[in-house]
Amino acid sequence: MMSRAETKQIHLDMAEDLVSFGRKNGADEVEVTILDGSEFSVDIRHGEIENLIEASARSLSLKVIKEQKTAYASSSDLSEESLQKLISSAVKRAELSSPDNYAGLPPKQKIAHDIDALNLFDSQILELSPEKKIDLAQKTEHIALQDKRIINSHGSSFETRVINTTLVNSHGFSHAYNETYCGLSLGLQAGQTDEIVEDYWSSSKRHFNQLDSPEEIAAKCIERTVRQLHPRKIPTQRVPVVFESTMTSWLMGFLFACVSGVSVYQKTSFLQDKLGKKIADDRISIYDDGLIPELLGTTPFDSEGVPTQKTVVVEQGILKNYLCNTYAAKKLKLASTGSAEGTGVAPRNFYLNAGSTTPEQIISSMDKGLILIRTLGHGLNPVTGDMSRGAYGLWVEKGEIAYPVAEITISGNLGEILRTIEMIGNDLQFRSPVTGPTIKIQELMIAGT
Amino acid sequence: MKRIKSKQPLPYIDHFGLADDDLHRILNIALSQGGDFSEIYLEYKIYSFINMEEDIIKETAESISLGMGIRVISGEKTGYGYSNDISMDMVKKAALTAASIASSKNPQKASLFFPPKPIHNTYPILHPAHEKSLEEKISLVKSAYQAAQKFDPKIQKVKASLLDLVQHVRVINSEGLCAIDVRPLLRLTCFAIAEKNNKREVGYHGGGGRVGLEYFREELSPEVIGEEAAKESLHLLEAVLPPAGEMPVVLAPGHSGVLIHEAVGHLLEADFNRKKTSIFWDKMGECVAKSSLNIYDDPTIPHFRGSYNIDDEGTTPKKTPLILEGRLVGLLQDKLSAKLMRTSETGHGRRQDFTCIPIPRMSNTYIDRGEYDPEEIIKSVDKGFYAHKYQGGQVEDSGKFTFSVSSGFLIEDGKLTTPVKQATLIGTNIDILNKVEKIGHDIRFGLQTGTCGKEGQAAPVTDGCPTLKITRMTVGGQ
């Protein structure tokens, strides 16, 4: 077996050789990325192993620019002969594209931050035995199935991933880094056959010792499942709506699509032409931060080799920045925010800043309204900000949870929601790269009976 | 479309260089810990992509992937290893990983396999896209782009792209099976954004399937794809948000097939029933829908996006009735579920690629035609909603589903009136199946561009249905 450091050097050499080969064979600019990953995953259902997967895979992707014309290619065959053929054919394809004044790799930038200090790699994950991994998943499900209200299990899973990313370009960028992930998840059902309710819960971290315990995951999953038992239908009406933190995260995902520089220059965002303008309540500040150590969205540089950073997206309700890769930045006459991922942009740690109210205080402030706990469907339109989704919730009366609600839809407009956020919780957690605390929206349309 | 002879051998090319003896040895290594069944899945895929926006061919991409997956089944357990490094060492390692799921003292031996027999080709093609020049493909993309752009001055932005791939698949297993497939897949899509009084709306259209480039001359021209995308965006500019509440809903033929895909299809995938998580698991043979309702899944429809000659376990697929005269009669089976449920395979074991374990999936799912005139169906509604195009849908095992309707109409006094956008339809499947009041005689299929996701695996699918009237359904809106 080769050591991690040796593998890293082999990939850097391979990428550098290919970049030179591409330059010699007609490309003005070349970027080469190598991903080398391994995964382990085990699914447990009713105590028994259902699936066990262990594997590794490598792939190389490249971008060439010739006379401002771009072509991409990728291959899982990393032999020198195949790669040279791949890049030569990419140069030929580039010649058939149209010149684009905005095409080009980013100028060389130094990575000012210490890659190791971001602490994205946990060697403990490599040392976990298969038995330990299987045991974690078994234990999680076992605890949950002790609860009499749980009638069936979708199973529990434990997975780990180790990824080495190497990026080299013809502007002299040449870096590599290692990262790890581990995740433990559980899905449960409760209720009788014709009125089954279900939910999932999971924990996902870069470091094994930060993962939630099987007890915590089982307890949370049971609570989230059984609180939906015996739902009622409610009449169609407009009411205040509290978004649980998981739902705020979902809303932030929709917002990300609208502050993406790519959507903005493509005119597919309702927030185009809104830079410097007020788009949200004064209390709203939203950031994208790629530099918080250990978090899931943290990386030292983006897929083009631009160093990541903390970007203020919304500050006290004012839209301050779009999140851009090099191309979108040039189009919009802005700077790249280190957000490139493939040909588009991706969030690093994109979050709505926490407020000072507890989630309990937010709920008790509602005389009558809905706590949104899950949504279903695809009804999001970044061009208009319109959203319409199937929803599950908890009905609140006089500041207290009265009963669960199902078979409703919520609809509204993201622009309007941002302007009418009335309260912001203090419960911000970085469970996923896109996140936010509990929030209360003045009013949304609920369709029921 | 002109049909060519389907009896020609499949143009399968081996890219792995492993001799049959080696493969047989790997099957035995995989069984060495006592598994009941071992299987090797070999996949080679070339993919190409052209994207046009802002009046230029912005990028082209090409991707080549090669890999193998080795699976071992022992009782209800599955072990899986994969690799895209196909040296014998790495392949053995993957086989041993998969083998480790089993623990029996008396390992079985794999049966010898023989070269695959010639099979009926569901998608014989004269002009496979991957053999055509990039210039020829670029001109198709430009035609769609320009047709959308020219359609109306209100069209502000267009995006057109062409994706073509060919997937070479070989499946070998310890029961002596050896089967191959060569699956082309082509898709041309166009998005158009129209703007008026600071309001913007997006329209979408596309087509393709397991077809060659001739499809765009003979079946659906790039110009029509561009124009339809433009028309939809203009239509939505005039659209209002729907009223909210329960009302009669008429589902347009074709696109509304997504309803059957979500509300019924997923929950008739065998794994959910074997695990008793689907609401249908104890309802086999029972009446679950109006007696006029017949639902099928058919992977053998020529040239359809969801079709295949063999599934990803090498099984020859069958047109599978799911609901006949309102009665639940069938499930979509893969090998594992069929074995554990002691029933026969239907050829619905599919996987996204060599990194994935096969699971039961839909292919081309549809509600069969009924007896009503579609116009009569609309006329029978005083006040209701007509759902025309969809963004997608989602279902839970409990049968609760959601569809996002991107465009539709209000129905007033039996006529389609105001255009409507961004509505959500929700319901519970058995409830809705029993509220299907009228079925049209106009069966159609939706766009040949759909992809279904399950457990993180994407699979190309299509769905279809005639005009349908649902007595009452909850519509989400303003």
Side-chain angles (χ1 to χ4, degrees):
Chain A
M1 280 296 278
M2 269 180 293
S3 76
R4 205 152 287 282
E6 281 166 345
T7 311
K8 189 168 157 181
Q9 196 53 49
I10 286 170
H11 288 162
L12 279 169
D13 292 346
M14 186 192 283
E16 283 175 9
D17 289 349
L18 196 59
V19 167
S20 327
F21 182 87
R23 288 277 290 126
K24 275 186 212 131
N25 286 272
D28 300 330
E29 298 175 75
V30 184
E31 175 192 281
V32 171
T33 309
I34 300 175
L35 290 178
D36 184 4
S38 59
E39 69 159 319
F40 174 97
S41 82
V42 59
D43 302 329
I44 299 290
R45 201 163 165 274
H46 294 305
E48 297 288 335
I49 295 176
E50 190 171 52
N51 298 307
L52 188 134
I53 304 179
E54 190 166 11
S56 57
R58 287 199 300 178
S59 66
L60 179 145
S61 56
L62 60 88
K63 175 177 175 176
V64 298
I65 300 169
K66 183 175 184 183
E67 290 152 6
Q68 298 298 112
K69 303 173 192 172
T70 309
Y72 297 88
S74 72
S75 175
S76 66
D77 181 355
L78 268 58
S79 69
E80 192 178 355
E81 190 198 337
S82 305
L83 292 177
Q84 292 185 348
K85 224 166 100 185
L86 191 75
I87 200 164
S88 302
S89 116
V91 173
K92 287 203 194 82
R93 274 189 295 110
E95 288 164 0
L96 295 174
S97 275
S98 327
D100 182 349
N101 292 333
Y102 300 92
L105 300 182
K108 191 180 179 185
Q109 289 168 73
K110 237 186 118 123
I111 296 178
H113 46 267
D114 176 3
I115 293 184
D116 290 339
L118 295 176
N119 203 7
L120 306 179
F121 184 81
D122 177 13
S123 57
Q124 199 189 346
I125 286 179
L126 304 182
E127 289 151 18
L128 289 173
S129 68
E131 292 76 24
K132 169 80 178 167
K133 298 178 197 179
I134 293 165
D135 181 57
L136 277 166
Q138 270 170 339
K139 203 166 161 191
T140 308
E141 192 202 40
H142 179 77
I143 296 167
L145 290 177
Q146 300 303 302
D147 193 299
K148 290 282 170 289
R149 297 167 296 178
I150 300 302
I151 55 124
N152 204 343
S153 159
H154 286 289
S156 58
S157 303
F158 181 74
E159 61 168 333
T160 59
R161 270 182 293 150
V162 183
I163 303 163
N164 171 263
T165 304
T166 304
L167 177 62
V168 173
N169 74 24
S170 54
H171 287 179
F173 186 93
S174 179
H175 283 285
Y177 66 95
N178 292 318
E179 60 190 322
T180 48
Y181 293 95
C182 57
L184 183 57
S185 62
L186 174 67
L188 298 173
Q189 285 190 336
Q192 297 309 309
T193 322
D194 290 338
E195 41 179 53
I196 292 170
V197 295
E198 60 190 15
D199 213 338
Y200 292 82
W201 193 247
S202 65
S203 171
S204 178
K205 298 284 177 198
R206 289 188 177 278
H207 288 261
F208 181 66
N209 64 11
Q210 294 174 0
L211 202 66
D212 291 348
S213 69
E215 289 79 7
E216 285 166 310
I217 291 166
K220 187 77 183 178
C221 194
I222 292 168
E223 183 221 322
R224 290 178 63 86
T225 304
V226 300
R227 69 179 178 170
Q228 301 177 70
L229 276 171
H230 315 301
R232 303 189 197 171
K233 287 191 173 189
I234 51 170
T236 301
Q237 57 193 299
R238 293 186 71 89
V239 284
V241 174
V242 168
F243 281 53
E244 283 194 330
S245 61
T246 51
M247 289 292 94
T248 309
S249 303
W250 166 74
L251 195 70
M252 287 295 106
F254 184 25
L255 179 66
F256 177 82
C258 305
V259 298
S260 138
V262 174
S263 310
V264 171
Y265 91 74
Q266 293 190 340
K267 300 189 167 83
T268 53
S269 166
F270 78 100
L271 290 173
Q272 78 172 68
D273 309 321
K274 291 287 194 301
L275 211 56
K277 299 202 173 120
K278 193 153 164 45
I279 61 154
D281 185 87
D282 288 344
R283 282 163 290 193
I284 304 294
S285 292
I286 295 164
Y287 304 95
D288 187 50
D289 191 345
L291 294 175
I292 310 174
E294 298 175 358
L295 291 191
L296 290 169
T298 303
T299 58
F301 48 84
D302 72 1
S303 70
E304 297 178 305
V306 175
T308 50
Q309 59 178 42
K310 177 171 182 177
T311 308
V312 180
V313 179
V314 176
E315 194 168 46
Q316 295 174 355
I318 312 278
L319 181 61
K320 292 286 192 183
N321 274 298
Y322 297 124
L323 295 167
C324 292
N325 55 13
T326 302
Y327 187 85
K330 280 194 199 163
K331 280 270 179 191
L332 298 169
K333 300 192 174 62
L334 298 169
S336 166
T337 52
S339 303
E341 180 110 339
T343 57
V345 293
R348 300 301 154 205
N349 299 291
F350 182 72
Y351 64 97
L352 171 64
N353 211 19
S356 53
T357 332
T358 65
E360 295 73 26
Q361 283 169 326
I362 294 179
I363 293 164
S364 60
S365 76
M366 256 193 320
D367 184 48
K368 185 179 97 165
L370 183 82
I371 304 173
L372 185 65
I373 60 174
R374 279 195 307 140
T375 69
L376 207 61
H378 294 260
L380 302 175
N381 185 346
V383 178
T384 56
D386 291 337
M387 65 167 216
S388 175
R389 304 268 288 200
Y392 295 83
L394 302 172
W395 189 248
V396 174
E397 270 172 18
K398 298 195 174 63
E400 283 186 22
I401 294 169
Y403 49 83
V405 174
E407 287 201 49
I408 54 168
T409 72
I410 56 156
S411 54
N413 179 279
L414 181 57
E416 203 175 305
I417 290 173
L418 291 171
R419 288 189 296 272
T420 57
I421 294 180
E422 284 187 333
M423 297 174 95
I424 305 172
N426 62 358
D427 54 336
L428 174 66
Q429 281 187 321
F430 289 93
R431 300 182 48 78
S432 58
V434 177
T435 185
T438 303
I439 53 173
K440 180 182 170 194
I441 318 292
Q442 205 173 53
E443 234 178 37
L444 282 175
M445 187 71 195
I446 310 291
T449 54
Chain B
M1 188 187 293
K2 269 180 263 164
R3 303 278 177 235
I4 61 171
K5 266 191 198 155
S6 63
K7 281 292 179 196
Q8 287 166 351
L10 292 170
Y12 179 82
I13 306 167
D14 181 82
H15 292 270
F16 293 87
L18 292 167
D20 285 359
D21 285 355
D22 289 336
L23 293 167
H24 189 249
R25 196 169 334 132
I26 297 162
L27 287 173
N28 277 327
I29 294 172
L31 288 179
S32 61
Q33 302 299 309
D36 310 328
F37 169 85
S38 67
E39 170 196 74
I40 305 173
Y41 179 80
L42 302 157
E43 184 195 27
Y44 173 74
K45 194 160 61 181
I46 319 172
Y47 149 110
S48 119
F49 178 70
I50 299 163
N51 181 36
M52 180 166 185
E53 52 182 293
E54 300 185 305
D55 301 342
I56 58 172
I57 297 297
K58 202 160 246 184
E59 69 227 3
T60 64
E62 179 189 34
S63 155
I64 302 165
S65 89
L66 174 75
M68 64 158 46
I70 301 178
R71 175 167 71 143
V72 172
I73 297 177
S74 172
E76 291 190 45
K77 298 179 192 176
T78 299
Y80 199 70
Y82 64 83
S83 174
N84 58 11
D85 177 347
I86 48 164
S87 63
M88 202 57 188
D89 279 355
M90 290 303 286
V91 173
K92 269 187 200 157
K93 195 179 150 197
L96 286 170
T97 298
S100 71
I101 198 75
S103 53
S104 155
K105 294 271 177 323
N106 304 307
Q108 303 178 43
K109 286 281 173 212
S111 305
L112 283 172
F113 61 87
F114 299 96
K117 290 192 199 101
I119 52 169
H120 172 79
N121 189 356
T122 310
Y123 25 82
I125 286 175
L126 273 177
H127 304 293
H130 66 278
E131 290 174 5
K132 292 288 158 181
S133 70
L134 193 62
E135 287 94 331
E136 193 173 333
K137 291 190 253 183
I138 285 175
S139 83
L140 283 171
V141 177
K142 281 188 174 158
S143 302
Y145 186 97
Q146 286 159 357
Q149 196 177 39
K150 282 193 316 219
F151 192 76
D152 191 285
K154 288 192 281 292
I155 302 296
Q156 292 292 304
K157 154 104 197 162
V158 179
K159 193 171 168 171
S161 49
L162 182 80
L163 196 157
D164 75 84
L165 66 82
V166 61
Q167 182 196 28
H168 293 245
V169 169
R170 185 174 178 200
V171 189
I172 300 154
N173 72 26
S174 58
E175 293 165 350
L177 175 134
C178 174
I180 55 168
D181 199 0
V182 177
R183 303 175 186 149
L185 193 63
L186 184 60
R187 185 172 86 175
L188 176 62
T189 54
C190 184
F191 286 89
I193 296 183
E195 188 172 331
K196 187 178 142 190
N197 305 332
N198 275 331
K199 242 181 82 177
R200 282 194 301 273
E201 293 290 351
V202 55
Y204 169 76
H205 204 76
R210 300 207 183 274
V211 293
L213 289 186
E214 63 272 20
Y215 169 90
F216 295 112
R217 280 194 308 272
E218 294 163 10
E219 301 266 307
L220 177 63
S221 74
E223 289 80 9
V224 169
I225 290 176
E227 284 164 14
E228 287 297 322
K231 271 186 209 164
E232 191 187 3
S233 67
L234 295 167
H235 165 84
L236 290 172
L237 275 183
E238 309 306 322
V240 299
L241 292 166
E246 268 191 1
M247 61 193 80
V249 173
V250 175
L251 305 168
H255 304 306
S256 304
V258 67
L259 179 135
I260 232 51
H261 177 99
E262 293 302 333
V264 183
H266 274 298
L267 298 181
L268 294 177
E269 290 165 342
D271 47 351
F272 298 135
N273 290 279
R274 168 167 67 82
K275 297 175 189 175
K276 303 180 180 175
T277 57
S278 162
I279 187 157
F280 288 122
W281 79 268
D282 58 351
K283 295 186 172 56
M284 189 52 72
E286 285 180 24
C287 220
V288 294
K290 274 283 169 68
S291 63
S292 46
L293 211 63
N294 295 295
I295 300 176
Y296 300 90
D297 186 279
D298 186 359
T300 70
I301 305 177
H303 298 285
F304 266 39
R305 188 175 159 81
S307 297
Y308 36 86
N309 290 318
I310 54 165
D311 73 0
D312 292 306
E313 303 179 306
T315 308
T316 305
K318 286 199 267 271
K319 172 176 172 178
T320 306
L322 299 173
I323 291 178
L324 289 180
E325 295 176 347
R327 206 169 290 281
L328 180 57
V329 296
L331 298 175
L332 300 169
Q333 295 284 356
D334 64 355
K335 267 188 186 301
L336 178 66
S337 289
K339 188 178 141 204
L340 295 171
M341 296 174 87
R342 296 169 204 284
T343 177
S344 44
E345 291 162 26
T346 60
H348 287 87
R350 304 182 70 185
R351 53 182 133 197
Q352 177 178 285
D353 55 42
F354 69 89
T355 68
C356 300
I357 294 176
I359 48 177
R361 300 295 296 261
M362 279 172 269
S363 61
N364 309 301
T365 318
Y366 63 95
I367 297 189
D368 212 354
R369 69 184 81 236
E371 52 180 332
Y372 286 89
D373 175 23
E375 279 183 31
E376 291 300 319
I377 294 180
I378 297 168
K379 266 189 203 158
S380 73
V381 178
D382 273 348
K383 215 170 161 9
F385 179 61
Y386 184 82
H388 184 228
K389 275 186 153 183
Y390 301 77
Q391 263 182 303
Q394 196 177 337
V395 69
E396 302 213 318
D397 289 359
S398 56
K400 292 193 170 58
F401 63 77
T402 297
F403 309 100
S404 302
V405 181
S406 54
S407 100
F409 291 91
L410 294 181
I411 307 176
E412 289 166 310
D413 297 327
K415 289 191 195 78
L416 303 186
T417 59
T418 316
V420 168
K421 62 171 183 173
Q422 205 74 37
T424 298
L425 299 178
I426 55 164
T428 304
N429 57 8
I430 292 181
D431 183 45
I432 295 298
L433 288 173
N434 282 294
K435 285 182 180 157
V436 175
E437 193 183 305
K438 292 189 164 92
I439 304 176
H441 53 59
D442 55 342
I443 180 165
R444 271 188 243 165
F445 278 80
L447 299 181
Q448 294 277 339
T449 62
T451 298
C452 162
K454 174 178 170 185
E455 292 169 18
Q457 295 196 45
V461 296
T462 70
D463 31 59
C465 69
T467 300
L468 295 170
K469 180 183 176 186
I470 313 284
T471 315
R472 288 189 88 70
M473 206 167 174
T474 300
V475 179
Q478 293 296 300

